[in-house]
Amino acid sequence: MQELRPFDPTGAGMVYSVLGGRRLALFVSLVVHGGLLLMLAAAPAVIHSNSLPNFLVAVPLEPIEEFRLIDQVAPADITSVEIGAGSAGSESQTAMSTAPVLAELPVLTSNLDQPLVSNATHASQTALEIAVGLVRVPSVVKGQDGVSLTGTSGAVDRITYEILRSMEVSPTLVLWLFDQSGSLTRQRAEISERFERIYQELGMVTQSRNAANAQLSEQRLLSAIIAFGQSVSLLTPKPTADLAELRNAIDSIENDPSGIERVFSAVLSSVDHFKSFTRSSGNRGPARNIMAIIVTDERGDDDDQLEAAIQQCRKFAVVVHVLGVPAPFGRQTTYVKYIDPDTRYDQTPQWGQVDQGPESVMPERVRLGYADDVLNEPVIDAGFGPYALSRLAYESGGLYFNIHPNRRIGRRVGRNETSAFAAHIEYFFDPEVMLKYRPDYVSHSEYLRTTQSSPLRWSLIQAAQLAQARVLGEVTTRFVRRDEATLVAGLAAAQQSAARVAPELERLVEILKSGQAGRDREISVRWVAGFDLALGTVLAHHVRAESYNEMLAAARRGLNFENPRNNTWVLEPANQVSTSIRLDKDAQRARELLREVAAQHRGTPWGWLAEQELAHPIGWRWTEDYTDLNPVPAEAMIPNIILPPMDDQRRSLAPSPPTRPLPKL
């Protein structure tokens, strides 16, 4: 009879009954030792995996199909007509790379034989250079301003190079936009004469001669001429490769007497007219690069169209180059030396006011002095072109050329040295030094937003917007004591000149001092230089006027001559302020600021102006002198001179040529 056993939920009894006691022990031993061996075998892999970077993830590999290794590579027998792989067309039109020789050994070395290094660090190249010139993505790549030259020929040579670069990539259409102002007469003629050389350098002379017998689509380079003044004139409605037609179009441009230059309207209308030649317009023919070249000597009177022009050029990838003029530093206007181009009329130079600035969205320079003598106010180079045209070139990936025939860095240029049809600029600066002082090429709204958020910038802009403040100019410095009443009256009359200028200067001081709170937070070297120069200069003029007034007031209360013979008090400029502790502190602060600007911004407009201001003492001091109260009349000292009679030759001199009034420039 079978023995009944109690139920065992673990099943151990069943195993024991099947395997037996010895067999169970052997099974357990095998399981334990096998687990230990597996753990020991996996330990190195775990340790090594901990040393790998945490961004590496193991991924199961898919089976790789067998492929054939290429042992040798040889060049094709047919040379590719395209350079690089920058085609804007389909894949079939993309230029393929070619090699001149078959290399027996690879030029590039392999690092496969090098040992792997854990936790290795690698240097990263972070330096970026600004791309200049041809651009296919204008929103990313910017152009360049401040390309300074002394003549139009140099700019045209560089433009020729830019055209050649464009033609290497794709067929090109060049739009020449000419300013119709009278001051540009000579420059238009120079460019017209150089057109033959431009086409020769581009290898297009033969094409130009055969242009009449060729289709437009077969021409690698096409051009069009546009003139602009108060209106825009399309002188070549269809683009052409005929050199004679282009030169005739330029020579037919007439001066616009209105003095208005709608340059941005000309850009908008010309791009709109020729947009069908671009790939962006859905053109089914050969896609062309469009390059606009603006030739002008003014800033343009329709800058309200600037943003629209930028968007239009970006949309159709139009690169804009400008053959322009340097902007006057911190000023809107300058004066051009005009000589009548018709030699039948008087060739005496005349000076016409022209809008050529400022170089920034708004003037960033406080205007002091010369309120009644603006023609003789010194004008210096801003280092950049007018803001709107410079920004158009910059945003489209083009170049702005600052062209001035009298550019001499480090030497003053006199008014009589100024070339005809050029603005009188007294001092020029090295464009390499000026690179880090580039203005903010942003929209008006963005400019106002950033300036209003900075106490330093906003105070400078507010001060620069005020009317030209008067300063202490030619003042009375000699006061003769004939009697006490006469001396006091003379001193009181002289005080009025200081009293007239002091309130305007004091207002400027208060506005600029409100911006000192943001001085340490400003990161722009241009804005720091502008603010320090403005505050230092305004403080110096304010102290000079106030201390002059106080010195005269002290003299009215009575001064005693050290030498009893002397009868004249002389007020001399001096670097000392003894009338007021407050004025003395302001004088010290002014000198500190100006010295810092002159040292840290040497070779710039700010540094140059600071040096000029430091050359004039801020304070005053009294000295004494003697004046003869009964001098000999001047008439008695001049001998009687008998002039010879005028001869017949002088009487027969031809009359002077007629004079025409100065046109609007």
Side-chain angles (χ1 to χ4, degrees):
M1 186 174 182
Q2 187 177 3
E3 181 182 0
L4 296 177
R5 295 180 180 178
F7 175 74
D8 184 1
T10 64
M14 184 180 295
V15 175
Y16 185 86
S17 65
V18 176
L19 296 178
R22 293 181 178 179
R23 292 180 178 179
L24 176 62
L26 178 61
F27 177 79
V28 172
S29 176
L30 289 173
V31 172
V32 172
H33 286 85
L36 290 174
L37 290 174
L38 290 173
M39 292 176 61
L40 292 174
V46 174
I47 295 173
H48 181 68
S49 65
N50 292 336
S51 66
L52 293 176
N54 56 10
F55 50 80
L56 296 180
V57 180
V59 179
L61 298 177
E62 297 292 334
I64 302 177
E65 296 181 1
E66 183 179 359
F67 59 92
R68 181 173 60 87
L69 296 177
I70 299 176
D71 297 326
Q72 295 182 345
V73 178
D77 296 332
I78 301 175
T79 304
S80 173
V81 297
E82 297 289 341
I83 301 175
S87 174
S90 62
E91 292 183 1
S92 62
Q93 295 175 332
T94 302
M96 304 302 294
S97 59
T98 59
V101 295
L102 174 64
E104 297 180 356
L105 296 175
V107 177
L108 300 178
T109 59
S110 173
N111 294 326
L112 294 179
D113 296 333
Q114 300 296 327
L116 297 177
V117 180
S118 301
N119 299 325
T121 59
H122 302 276
S124 175
Q125 178 67 20
T126 58
L128 298 177
E129 295 183 1
I130 298 177
V132 176
L134 184 64
V135 55
R136 301 303 297 177
V137 189
S139 60
V140 176
V141 182
K142 303 298 183 181
Q144 181 181 351
D145 184 22
V147 183
S148 302
L149 298 170
T150 57
T152 304
S153 59
V156 172
D157 290 342
R158 177 61 187 273
I159 288 295
T160 304
Y161 169 72
E162 296 297 328
I163 296 174
L164 181 60
R165 288 181 58 198
S166 177
M167 292 170 58
E168 290 176 349
V169 177
S170 178
T172 299
L173 170 60
V174 178
L175 309 178
W176 292 86
L177 290 81
F178 287 94
D179 181 353
Q180 291 182 254
S181 61
S183 55
L184 207 69
T185 302
R186 186 167 298 179
Q187 197 168 352
R188 289 196 300 265
E190 291 177 2
I191 294 177
S192 176
E193 293 173 359
R194 291 186 65 84
F195 255 55
E196 180 78 28
R197 179 175 175 180
I198 293 174
Y199 271 67
Q200 286 178 348
E201 293 177 354
L202 295 174
M204 308 299 290
V205 173
T206 303
Q207 170 184 304
S208 175
R209 293 170 181 170
N210 300 330
N213 300 323
Q215 298 293 326
L216 289 181
S217 59
E218 299 175 3
Q219 306 294 345
R220 192 72 180 172
L221 174 64
L222 297 176
S223 303
I225 308 298
I226 299 96
F228 63 90
Q230 189 173 14
S231 59
V232 180
S233 302
L234 187 60
L235 302 182
T236 53
K238 291 184 179 181
T240 179
D242 188 347
L243 175 60
E245 182 179 354
L246 294 174
R247 292 194 60 177
N248 290 336
I250 298 176
D251 295 340
S252 68
I253 297 176
E254 297 181 354
N255 294 338
D256 186 345
S258 68
I260 299 175
E261 289 79 26
R262 302 190 184 279
V263 58
F264 301 103
S265 299
V267 172
L268 283 168
S269 59
S270 58
V271 171
D272 184 69
H273 183 84
F274 293 103
K275 65 184 179 183
S276 61
F277 289 85
T278 67
R279 179 70 63 185
S280 302
S281 64
N283 173 31
R284 296 182 180 180
R288 288 186 181 272
N289 294 331
I290 294 187
M291 179 184 299
I293 303 173
I294 301 173
V295 185
T296 183
D297 64 347
E298 299 198 34
R299 69 177 185 221
D301 295 299
D302 58 344
D303 55 1
D304 57 325
Q305 300 295 316
L306 170 61
E307 298 301 327
I310 292 175
Q311 294 302 321
Q312 183 87 327
C313 291
R314 283 177 172 174
K315 180 178 180 180
F316 296 104
V318 177
V319 179
V320 180
H321 301 296
V322 182
L323 276 60
V325 292
F329 177 62
R331 292 173 47 130
Q332 295 183 349
T333 62
T334 186
Y335 289 88
V336 168
K337 185 177 185 179
Y338 179 82
I339 297 178
D340 200 311
D342 191 338
T343 56
R344 295 175 300 175
Y345 292 91
D346 187 11
Q347 299 294 291
T348 302
Q350 303 180 69
W351 296 93
Q353 182 173 290
V354 177
D355 297 330
Q356 293 185 340
E359 76 280 11
S360 50
V361 177
M362 302 174 70
E364 299 168 0
R365 177 186 175 188
V366 177
R367 297 182 293 171
L368 297 174
Y370 299 96
D372 301 322
D373 190 18
V374 293
L375 183 60
N376 290 320
E377 181 179 3
V379 180
I380 60 176
D381 175 28
F384 303 91
Y387 155 76
L389 282 171
S390 297
R391 181 165 173 244
L392 177 60
Y394 176 77
E395 294 286 359
S396 66
L399 302 170
Y400 185 98
F401 295 92
N402 291 325
I403 303 173
H404 198 287
N406 307 120
R407 183 181 299 277
R408 300 186 187 93
I409 298 174
R411 188 178 76 82
R412 287 179 181 266
V413 179
R415 188 177 293 273
N416 58 338
E417 299 177 87
T418 302
S419 300
F421 302 101
H424 173 52
I425 295 182
E426 185 174 325
Y427 210 87
F428 292 91
F429 302 94
D430 188 343
E432 295 295 328
V433 176
M434 293 298 298
L435 283 177
K436 65 179 181 179
Y437 295 89
R438 195 193 72 197
D440 299 322
Y441 290 145
V442 296
S443 64
H444 282 73
S445 58
E446 176 66 14
Y447 184 86
L448 290 176
R449 186 188 67 80
T450 56
T451 53
Q452 289 175 350
S453 62
S454 166
L456 179 145
R457 298 187 181 192
W458 187 238
S459 65
L460 180 57
I461 289 298
Q462 284 183 305
Q465 294 304 303
L466 296 179
Q468 199 148 357
R470 299 176 184 272
V471 298
L472 201 64
E474 296 293 333
V475 294
T476 304
T477 56
R478 291 182 65 90
F479 302 91
V480 180
R481 185 181 184 279
R482 299 178 181 273
D483 53 65
E484 195 63 29
T486 304
L487 176 61
V488 171
L491 293 168
Q495 282 184 282
Q496 295 179 9
S497 59
R500 283 193 295 267
V501 304
E504 296 179 6
L505 295 172
E506 186 173 0
R507 182 185 180 190
L508 285 172
V509 169
E510 294 303 318
I511 292 175
L512 291 170
K513 282 186 175 180
S514 67
Q516 293 183 114
R519 173 65 171 75
D520 296 335
R521 299 193 300 271
E522 181 56 60
I523 62 174
S524 168
V525 63
R526 176 185 176 88
W527 282 100
V528 170
F531 178 81
D532 289 351
L533 174 66
L535 182 56
T537 304
V538 171
L539 277 175
H541 280 283
H542 181 251
V543 171
R544 193 175 290 119
E546 288 283 9
S547 60
Y548 176 83
N549 191 10
E550 292 184 0
M551 292 291 282
L552 297 180
R556 289 178 61 185
R557 292 191 293 268
L559 295 174
N560 297 320
F561 293 105
E562 293 184 3
N563 186 345
R565 178 178 178 275
N566 291 334
N567 60 355
T568 304
W569 290 109
V570 181
L571 201 56
E572 294 181 347
N575 281 319
Q576 62 185 40
V577 178
S578 58
T579 58
S580 168
I581 297 178
R582 175 183 61 85
L583 291 179
D584 184 51
K585 290 182 178 180
D586 285 347
Q588 293 180 20
R589 177 61 175 157
R591 281 190 288 265
E592 290 173 0
L593 287 169
L594 294 172
R595 287 169 182 163
E596 185 175 351
V597 173
Q600 295 186 1
H601 307 285
R602 188 177 303 278
T604 70
W606 301 273
W608 187 83
L609 289 171
E611 292 174 355
Q612 304 305 305
E613 189 60 43
L614 285 169
H616 301 284
I618 296 178
W620 304 89
R621 66 176 181 179
W622 283 116
T623 61
E624 55 186 69
D625 196 8
Y626 172 77
T627 300
D628 188 358
L629 301 180
N630 298 298
V632 178
E635 294 80 3
M637 301 177 63
I638 301 177
N640 293 328
I641 300 176
I642 301 176
L643 297 176
M646 187 176 297
D647 55 21
D648 295 337
Q649 183 179 3
R650 293 182 180 179
R651 294 191 185 97
S652 62
L653 288 176
S656 300
T659 301
R660 290 195 292 185
L662 180 70
K664 292 184 178 180
L665 302 179

